[in-house]
Amino acid sequence: MKALVKDKAEPGLRLMDVPEPEVGPGDVLIKVLRTGICGTDLHIHAWDGWAQQAIRTPLVLGHEFVGEVVDTGRDVTDINLGDRVSGEGHLVCGKCRNCLAGRRHLCRATVGLGVGRDGAFAEYVVLLATNVWVHRVPVDLDVAAIFDPFGNAVHTALSFPLVGEDVLITGAGPIGLMAAAVARHAGARNVVITDVSEERLDLARKVGVSLALNVRDARISDGQRALGLREGFDVGLEMSGRAEALQDMIANMTHGGRIAMLGLPAQEFPVDWARIVTSMITLKGIYGREMFETWYAMSVLLEGGLDLAPVITGRYGYRDFETAFADAASGRGGKVILDWTA
Ligand SMILES: [Zn+2]
């Protein structure tokens, strides 16, 4: 089968023929229809410092996908041939304290699909049945392909109650945009989003934010004034991983404000801890999705009319992966999809 492979410890990817994966007793074999390109895939493509220490070659990339079940192992009972499925890309150990308690998203020995083992940028992927999410309600294929990052957005956005609250989101990449749509849908009063790309801020306006602020030429405090906020933001969702974004967020929170952080900083940086203490701010780190509570929430949010269409801006056949990766890495658009049937 064709697969997108990091075959050597150097920048770039190769589209090559690899053996089809074997199906174990608890596994599901999935014919991949569409995949989403994630920031993680860009790091692996570029072979940056993180990739060099995290990845062992050869590796089939990819963890955001939708596909169709074409085979199941003998122990799989509740998943059927022809089911349309996505997959939870965090494979958990099942043995640690959190796994045993049912808090699988807090597993301390997680292996990532397309990071620690072969992934979904291929014509077929095999996954443990316990990690397969069956789309019981029809979902647009492009949206189904990005359930993994959509789950990051939902997990982050629904970490704290949003109804009637003023929400600040730093970073209008695909996950920031989806979080903005969720916050809107969930009943936030104001949703303010920041970025440095006018294209991404335009996409944010399409998902219905109150204010999309370019922090190259405006300050978050200007945004607060424009919306008539007197006491600061109630909830912050940090999606950029950038020091100045978190520092600025902390400076603009109300007393008792709550911050959920999904953006992954590349290095350590100073934080005004005195402000955290005296403003009594809560900081929560987010990684992945709750299994499978977040997946349930995603499905019902879409059923309830949440619209993610503006977030998907690039569609390519898998043979055009170089163009697709360049599009995703540009920092200007939304989500980029690879079609594995074209
Ligand atoms: Zn575990």
Side-chain angles (χ1 to χ4, degrees):
M1 65 171 186
K2 296 285 182 217
L4 262 183
V5 182
K6 171 66 78 181
D7 64 328
K8 292 202 188 85
E10 61 187 32
L13 294 176
R14 253 179 79 197
L15 182 63
M16 55 193 281
D17 288 299
V18 301
E20 275 186 33
E22 286 176 22
V23 187
D27 286 337
V28 175
L29 182 67
I30 300 156
K31 178 177 166 43
V32 177
L33 300 174
R34 296 184 198 178
T35 59
I37 298 177
C38 175
T40 304
D41 306 318
L42 300 177
H43 289 294
I44 299 173
H45 180 281
W47 203 239
D48 63 10
W50 171 82
Q52 288 173 34
Q53 57 81 28
I55 304 299
R56 289 171 60 189
T57 58
L59 176 80
V60 178
L61 270 64
H63 56 277
E64 304 177 0
F65 73 94
V66 63
E68 203 172 277
V69 175
V70 291
D71 194 9
T72 57
R74 65 166 189 269
D75 294 346
V76 178
T77 53
D78 51 350
I79 296 171
N80 299 307
L81 301 190
D83 278 353
R84 191 155 282 178
V85 298
S86 295
E88 166 56 56
H90 285 178
L91 295 130
V92 299
C93 76
K95 296 177 211 153
C96 70
R97 176 195 174 170
N98 283 315
C99 279
L100 290 173
R103 299 183 295 262
R104 287 183 283 173
H105 65 290
L106 298 179
C107 175
R108 48 177 289 123
T110 299
V111 175
L113 182 69
V115 178
R117 53 148 280 188
D118 282 340
F121 286 176
E123 290 179 287
Y124 295 92
V125 63
V126 76
L127 199 60
L128 271 176
T130 48
N131 276 64
V132 172
W133 177 261
V134 180
H135 294 285
R136 306 279 178 201
V137 176
V139 181
D140 175 80
L141 271 186
D142 287 340
V143 172
I146 59 167
F147 254 49
D148 177 292
F150 177 32
N152 292 130
V154 168
H155 188 186
T156 312
L158 300 187
S159 275
F160 302 114
L162 291 177
V163 177
E165 303 288 33
D166 296 319
V167 178
L168 171 64
I169 303 175
T170 43
I175 297 180
L177 292 170
M178 289 191 275
V182 170
R184 244 319 172 217
H185 189 84
R189 178 171 68 167
N190 287 298
V191 179
V192 176
I193 196 163
T194 65
D195 206 285
V196 293
S197 154
E198 273 309 319
E199 290 94 334
R200 286 188 160 172
L201 292 167
D202 278 336
L203 294 175
R205 291 176 189 110
K206 286 186 192 160
V207 302
V209 299
S210 320
L211 187 65
L213 208 61
N214 192 328
V215 281
R216 270 195 217 279
D217 41 49
R219 298 174 58 84
I220 292 172
S221 51
D222 302 332
Q224 277 201 53
R225 258 193 303 283
L227 291 169
L229 306 188
R230 289 196 301 249
E231 302 189 358
F233 290 93
D234 306 297
V235 175
L237 310 176
E238 207 304 293
M239 301 296 195
S240 72
R242 298 192 64 88
E244 58 274 27
L246 180 66
Q247 290 158 340
D248 228 14
M249 178 177 273
I250 291 167
N252 282 279
M253 298 299 289
T254 189
H255 279 209
R258 294 150 169 193
I259 295 175
M261 287 182 69
L262 182 78
L264 200 58
Q267 63 275 311
E268 296 181 14
F269 57 82
V271 161
D272 184 350
W273 291 105
R275 174 86 185 213
I276 299 278
V277 172
T278 58
S279 295
M280 295 159 279
I281 289 169
T282 301
L283 274 174
K284 180 186 178 188
I286 309 279
Y287 186 62
R289 300 138 297 280
E290 292 187 3
M291 297 161 215
F292 276 84
E293 186 63 10
T294 304
W295 293 77
Y296 175 84
M298 287 187 265
S299 280
V300 296
L301 284 165
L302 293 171
E303 267 192 272
L306 179 74
D307 181 15
L308 297 182
V311 176
I312 299 163
T313 55
R315 293 172 178 83
Y316 301 87
Y318 70 94
R319 290 172 196 283
D320 294 329
F321 71 92
E322 286 291 7
T323 319
F325 269 70
D327 184 350
S330 72
R332 290 194 298 268
K335 200 75 198 175
V336 175
I337 303 287
L338 286 178
D339 186 341
W340 286 83
T341 62

